[in-house]
Amino acid sequence: MTNETLEKYDLDHASIVAWLREEDPARLAELWARADAVRKAHVGDAVHLRGLIEISNHCARECGYCGLRAGNRDLERYRMPEDEIIACAHDAKTYQYGTVVLQSGEDYGITAEWMASVIRRIKTETGLAVTLSLGERTDEELALWREAGANRYLLRFETSDPDLYRLIHPPLKGRPERSRIEMLRALQSLGYEAGSGVMVGIPGQTYETLARDIETFRGLDLDMIGIGPYISHPATPLGEGAWRRPIDEHDQAPNTELMTYKAVALTRLACPEANIPSTTALATINTAQGRELGLMRGANIVMPNLTPVKYRALYEIYPAKACINETSGECRTCLTARIRSIGREIGQGPGERKRRSDA
Ligand code: SAH
C-alpha cells in the first residue's frame, strides 16, 4: 500500500463518528478490509505474544467499573510472592514469548523497591521485555522501575471525557490528583514505550466521546493501545446502575462486540504503527471467535495468561473472564492455534513498536 492511499484514511472527527454509527454490513466489510491492509502494511503478519501475570488483586481505588475496587469486600485478595512471579517469567521464556506483562490493582503493598528487585531478576534471569501495568504511581517510582529494566507501561485513560472519567474513576484520598494523560507523557519522557486504551460502551459514553478517544490516541503517539468492551460487574456502582450519567439513549455507544471491532479498526487507521492487542474482554463476549476477529480487523498482539490457575478467578475485573480455568500451557496451545488458523504467524523477539522512520 502506498503512502498516498494510507493518507486517505487520516480520519477527521465527523468521519470517525460516522464510522462508529455505520450499520451497513457492506460498508463495514470495507472498514475491516482497510484496517487489515493498514495493519499488514505497517506491522506485518506477525502476532506478538505478551505473557500476562496478574501479580496482585489488591486495590486502593474505587473505580466504578472494576471488580477489584477496594469497596468490593466479597473478593478474596492475593499478592503473588516474588518466586512465583519469577517462575511465571521462566514459563514465558520456555513458551518463547518475547514479553511479560506484570499487572495488578493499584496496590501500595507493592513497594517501589520490591517491584524494582522483581524487575531486575526477570531481566537478569530471562532477558525478556518487561511491561508494567500497576496503575498510577509517582514519577520517582516509575523512574526507579525504568532503571531496573522495565521497558513499557500500560495505563488506559479509560475515557477522554473528563466528567465521565471523574465519575467512574474517583480521586484517591490523600494522594495528589493527576490525569492519566499527564502520567503517559511522564512515561514517554522516562523512555518507556507507553500504552493506553479505553473501554467501549461505558454507561454515559457517547459516540462523540469514543471518536475523541481515538483522536486522543493519535495525539499522544502511543506505542500500544488496548480496547475492550465494557463488561458490567454486579459488585460495582456502574454495574448496579448507581453511578449514572444522564445522556440521550441514542448517543450511548453500545458495549457490543461490533462497536469494539469498529473502535479497533478505526484505531488502526488512526495509529498505523501501534501495537494493538485483541483483548481478553473481546474474547469474553465472543469466546468462539472474538480473538480472531480482533486480529482480522486491526489488532496484531495477543496476551496469553501466565497467572497460576489458583489466582485466575480472583483477578475478577469483570465476570466470566475468558480462560480462567486454563493452565498457562493450555492458553499457549489454544492461542497459537487460533493465530495460525487465520493465516498469521507467531512473532519472535520483543515485538517493540517500530517507527516508519526506523525502517
Ligand atoms: N490497576 C491498573 C490495571 C487495571 S486492569 C490500572 O488501573 O491501570 C486493566 C484494565 O481492565 C483497565 O484499565 C480497564 O480498562 C479494564 N477493565 C476494568 N474493569 C473492566 C470492566 N468491568 N469491563 C471491561 N474492562 C474493564
Side-chain angles (χ1 to χ4, degrees):
M1 184 168 290
T2 65
N3 277 339
E4 197 188 338
T5 41
L6 288 177
E7 273 160 25
K8 272 203 332 220
Y9 307 132
D10 193 10
L11 303 164
D12 62 12
H13 179 73
S15 52
I16 298 175
V17 174
W19 274 118
L20 292 172
R21 289 187 177 272
E22 183 61 61
E23 296 288 342
D24 175 12
R27 291 279 289 151
L28 287 173
E30 203 184 298
L31 176 62
W32 313 145
R34 285 181 183 192
D36 199 45
V38 172
R39 184 272 309 154
K40 192 176 170 74
H42 287 269
V43 294
D45 280 339
V47 176
H48 288 279
L49 302 176
R50 323 292 203 198
L52 176 65
I53 314 174
E54 295 154 330
I55 64 173
S56 162
N57 72 349
H58 288 267
C59 192
R61 296 242 165 214
E62 293 291 3
C63 301
Y65 46 87
C66 182
L68 304 191
R69 67 198 308 273
N72 183 4
R73 308 261 176 245
D74 294 333
L75 185 64
E76 184 194 326
R77 305 284 170 165
Y78 72 90
R79 187 177 298 125
M80 285 175 63
E82 174 168 340
D83 286 341
E84 279 186 3
I85 299 173
I86 300 295
C88 292
H90 283 283
D91 289 343
K93 182 87 179 165
T94 309
Y95 297 150
Q96 297 179 300
Y97 301 164
T99 302
V100 284
V101 181
L102 308 180
Q103 193 180 76
S104 69
E106 202 161 301
D107 177 9
Y108 292 97
I110 295 179
T111 64
E113 291 69 27
W114 179 83
M115 197 66 235
S117 87
V118 172
I119 296 165
R120 274 187 221 105
R121 270 192 73 188
I122 295 177
K123 295 303 286 190
T124 326
E125 295 182 27
T126 71
L128 295 176
V130 172
T131 303
L132 303 177
S133 179
L134 308 173
E136 295 165 49
R137 306 287 299 229
T138 64
D139 283 0
E140 290 70 31
E141 292 171 311
L142 300 176
L144 179 71
W145 298 337
R146 177 82 187 113
E147 278 162 34
N151 306 86
R152 310 181 190 135
Y153 206 102
L154 298 176
L155 186 78
R156 292 186 178 180
F157 59 76
E158 315 294 1
T159 171
S160 59
D161 175 334
D163 294 333
L164 181 60
Y165 181 74
R166 257 191 304 277
L167 173 70
I168 67 171
H169 187 94
L172 197 54
K173 284 197 188 71
R175 289 196 179 254
E177 202 184 340
R178 183 194 194 203
S179 85
R180 287 192 162 206
I181 305 275
E182 271 174 56
M183 192 174 138
L184 288 164
R185 293 218 173 87
L187 287 162
Q188 288 172 327
S189 55
L190 286 166
Y192 280 93
E193 278 189 58
S196 194
V198 296
M199 289 172 282
V200 170
I202 307 164
Q205 180 192 48
T206 64
Y207 290 93
E208 296 274 336
T209 305
L210 188 52
R212 265 191 296 275
D213 294 346
I214 295 169
E215 296 168 78
T216 306
F217 298 151
R218 181 167 51 195
L220 287 168
D221 186 27
L222 294 169
D223 303 302
M224 305 165 286
I225 304 166
I227 298 167
Y230 161 74
I231 300 172
S232 173
H233 190 308
T236 62
L238 250 68
E240 289 170 339
W243 293 1
R244 276 251 158 246
R245 181 151 180 264
I247 58 165
D248 189 319
E249 64 178 281
H250 300 294
D251 293 335
Q252 171 68 49
N255 63 336
T256 56
E257 194 188 342
L258 185 63
M259 191 55 54
T260 307
Y261 297 134
K262 291 181 196 175
V264 167
L266 292 163
T267 297
R268 171 58 68 199
L269 300 184
C271 309
E273 297 171 345
N275 282 320
I276 301 178
S278 185
T279 57
T280 305
L282 187 52
T284 298
I285 61 171
N286 180 351
T287 47
Q289 273 213 300
R291 294 260 193 217
E292 290 88 331
L293 288 171
L295 290 172
M296 291 161 72
R297 296 170 176 182
N300 70 318
I301 299 286
V302 165
M303 296 169 69
N305 204 321
L306 285 171
T307 313
V309 170
K310 64 182 174 185
Y311 299 125
R312 292 265 179 107
L314 300 176
Y315 199 80
E316 197 193 42
I317 51 186
Y318 48 79
K321 219 166 100 205
C323 319
I324 53 168
N325 293 314
E326 287 173 30
T327 63
S328 302
E330 285 164 348
C331 275
R332 175 178 188 260
T333 310
C334 165
L335 289 173
T336 307
R338 286 175 187 267
I339 291 163
R340 297 214 168 107
S341 78
I342 56 167
R344 304 272 278 278
E345 59 208 54
I346 309 296
Q348 305 296 317
E352 71 279 22
R353 185 248 181 110
K354 299 218 172 54
R355 290 175 186 271
R356 228 173 155 68
S357 52
D358 297 343

